[in-house]
Amino acid sequence: MCHRAPRVTPVPQTRSGPRRRRRPMARLRDYLPRLMVTIRSLLFWSLIYCYCGLCASIYLLKLLWNICTGPAQTFRRVAREHPPPCLNDRSLGTHCYIRIKDSGLRFHYVAAGERGKPLMLLLHGFPEFWYSWRHQLREFKSEYRVVALDLRGYGETDAPIHRENYKLDLLITDIRDILDSLGYSKCVLIGHDWGGMIAWLIAICYPEMVMKLIVINFPHPNVFTEYILRHPAQLFKSSYYYFFQIPWFPEFMFSINDFKALKRLFTSHNTGIGRKGLRLTTEDLEAHIYVFSQPGALNGPINHYRNIFSCLPLKHHMVTAPTLLLWGENNAYLEAEMADVTKTYVKNYFRLTILSEASHWLQQEQPDIVNKLIWTFLKEETRRKD
């Protein structure tokens, strides 16, 4: 007689039943953080591209207005075949060139002071070049080997065409390799504006290379990226960052009316030099126009900005070098509140000095005061070590 065995549910199936019910929730919990990162990224880039479009529309309207009111003037450009005499002033130092092995790029710099003295490396901002440090080249050559560099894409330094060649990690590597090629392992590092951004990054990534850090009118990079997203006023002041994301159009807008936009940056009432005594002479201004009026000379400098949103904020952000931050009270591009917040990212002696009624172009506008503050900082730090 055949007996049918009773149906018994296997134990593994019984145990796995509740797991199947929990698995969707577990997957959701695992996926949720990634989803939030994706959403934040989409919102971030949507903001950037929307603001890019807005800036492009505003500048396009300006272009159309210029064409309607003065078409001949809009497309006028003065031929500048020879540099103004001030760029060959021997009292500023010696013009030198160095080729970096890894990148193969040739860099131009002006050096003053004897070889063998401690190195002071100067990094300019936009739209500047080595000449923006003319007052510091004369001032500090007595005790330092002062080197004012043309950054990648600027002036007589080589300018790769593609924007990928201007990523922040490449710009940082440039400075490291230049230091090594000059025969130095460390330096006093000074940066203004975009050069200040690079100076911060060097101090973060290669702290052993920086004896002392001096930054003029640029906050710590993390302060900048966090502040700009929370304060609409700073977003408006930094509109050129977004405008520069657009291909070729920014270069064109800077060149119309014989580089009128470039001239206004240095001379207008809101953004320019000279509220308390003009320090930028006609020849100084012409030197800047000459450099940026050369064929393709604006492409490299603007390409510096076209990679910034993919590189910030930083994962590692603390600065261990003694730091001096100089700030112009009337800086048209950066809010002063960022300067004070910057001290939280410096794990060493930090000094902030805000110059009253000073503009963005601090080392050119008030060189005597800036040089005195730098000297005080350098000697004060020496006494602290002793």
Side-chain angles (χ1 to χ4, degrees):
M1 185 175 180
C2 180
H3 297 280
R4 182 175 294 177
R7 181 175 295 175
V8 179
T9 303
V11 173
Q13 294 181 11
T14 303
R15 291 180 179 177
S16 63
R19 288 183 183 178
R20 288 195 187 98
R21 288 194 295 271
R22 287 198 302 266
R23 190 170 296 165
M25 294 301 297
R27 287 179 178 176
L28 181 61
R29 285 196 298 269
D30 293 339
Y31 183 69
L32 191 59
R34 295 195 296 269
L35 178 63
M36 292 303 297
V37 170
T38 302
I39 292 173
R40 289 179 62 185
S41 179
L42 288 172
L43 291 174
F44 177 70
W45 285 106
S46 297
L47 173 64
I48 290 174
Y49 285 116
C50 286
Y51 203 48
C52 285
L54 176 62
C55 292
S57 301
I58 292 171
Y59 281 98
L60 182 60
L61 289 174
K62 288 183 178 180
L63 174 61
L64 295 175
W65 175 258
N66 283 326
I67 293 175
C68 292
T69 56
Q73 185 71 14
T74 299
F75 299 104
R76 182 183 69 91
R77 288 184 62 175
V78 176
R80 294 175 173 87
E81 297 179 359
H82 304 289
C86 61
L87 293 183
N88 294 315
D89 185 350
R90 293 186 178 182
S91 70
L92 296 177
T94 305
H95 290 259
C96 306
Y97 300 87
I98 191 169
R99 189 171 295 279
I100 304 303
K101 293 181 180 179
D102 289 343
S103 66
L105 299 179
R106 190 186 75 157
F107 283 79
H108 168 255
Y109 64 91
V110 173
E114 297 176 7
R115 296 177 184 272
K117 290 182 176 180
L119 178 64
M120 177 181 284
L121 185 60
L122 309 174
L123 309 179
H124 62 79
F126 174 88
E128 297 174 302
F129 62 114
W130 72 265
Y131 187 70
S132 67
W133 299 108
R134 57 196 176 281
H135 303 291
Q136 289 68 44
L137 283 163
R138 291 192 180 102
E139 178 70 21
F140 295 101
K141 66 182 179 181
S142 60
E143 294 189 21
Y144 290 89
R145 175 70 170 173
V146 188
V147 171
L149 186 68
D150 273 344
L151 295 175
R152 177 186 290 223
Y154 282 84
E156 295 184 58
T157 292
D158 286 348
I161 298 174
H162 302 293
R163 61 182 291 177
E164 291 78 14
N165 294 311
Y166 295 88
K167 291 182 178 179
L168 285 175
D169 58 342
L170 297 178
L171 305 180
I172 298 169
T173 303
D174 285 344
I175 306 304
R176 183 200 66 187
D177 293 344
I178 286 168
L179 217 68
D180 183 64
S181 299
L182 292 173
Y184 288 87
S185 60
K186 55 186 177 180
C187 67
V188 172
L189 186 61
I190 305 180
H192 170 247
D193 184 67
W194 185 260
M197 160 81 84
I198 298 174
W200 282 115
L201 296 176
I202 290 291
I204 293 167
C205 298
Y206 299 104
E208 71 282 358
M209 288 172 41
V210 183
M211 294 186 291
K212 298 173 182 67
L213 175 66
I214 301 167
V215 179
I216 302 174
N217 275 335
F218 201 91
H220 186 283
N222 275 19
V223 174
F224 178 75
T225 53
E226 292 168 5
Y227 192 92
I228 195 173
L229 293 175
R230 296 176 182 175
H231 297 80
Q234 183 57 53
L235 188 69
F236 178 76
K237 288 183 176 182
S238 301
S239 59
Y240 64 97
Y241 276 70
Y242 298 87
F243 178 54
F244 287 171
Q245 304 308 308
I246 303 166
W248 72 263
F249 190 47
E251 289 91 327
F252 174 74
M253 287 300 295
F254 263 96
S255 66
I256 65 173
N257 285 338
D258 194 37
F259 298 91
K260 181 179 179 180
L262 200 60
K263 296 172 186 175
R264 285 183 57 83
L265 288 177
F266 293 108
T267 61
S268 74
H269 176 74
N270 292 328
T271 65
I273 294 173
R275 289 184 179 86
K276 296 184 72 174
L278 182 63
R279 303 297 302 223
L280 194 70
T281 67
T282 302
E283 189 176 18
D284 293 337
L285 180 60
E286 185 58 30
H288 286 80
I289 303 302
Y290 167 79
V291 166
F292 290 103
S293 66
Q294 302 307 302
L298 281 166
N299 183 250
I302 293 178
N303 270 337
H304 277 251
Y305 291 86
R306 288 179 171 140
N307 295 286
I308 185 171
F309 294 111
S310 60
C311 300
L312 296 176
L314 308 172
K315 293 181 180 179
H316 306 289
H317 49 254
M318 297 309 297
V319 175
T320 57
T323 302
L324 171 65
L325 178 58
L326 300 178
W327 203 274
E329 184 181 42
N330 293 331
N331 191 333
Y333 304 104
L334 296 165
E335 301 253 315
E337 286 78 3
M338 290 189 288
D340 190 58
V341 179
T342 291
K343 64 184 177 184
T344 60
Y345 290 93
V346 180
K347 285 186 173 181
N348 203 314
Y349 176 74
F350 176 82
R351 167 169 286 188
L352 167 64
T353 301
I354 299 178
L355 278 66
S356 61
E357 300 185 35
S359 74
H360 180 71
W361 319 102
L362 214 52
Q363 81 276 20
Q364 297 193 68
E365 181 183 72
Q366 299 191 18
D368 296 337
I369 297 175
V370 168
N371 292 346
K372 183 178 179 181
L373 290 169
I374 292 175
W375 274 126
T376 301
F377 173 71
L378 295 176
K379 293 178 179 180
E380 182 178 37
E381 284 303 299
T382 301
R383 289 199 300 270
R384 286 170 62 88
K385 286 187 176 182
D386 292 340

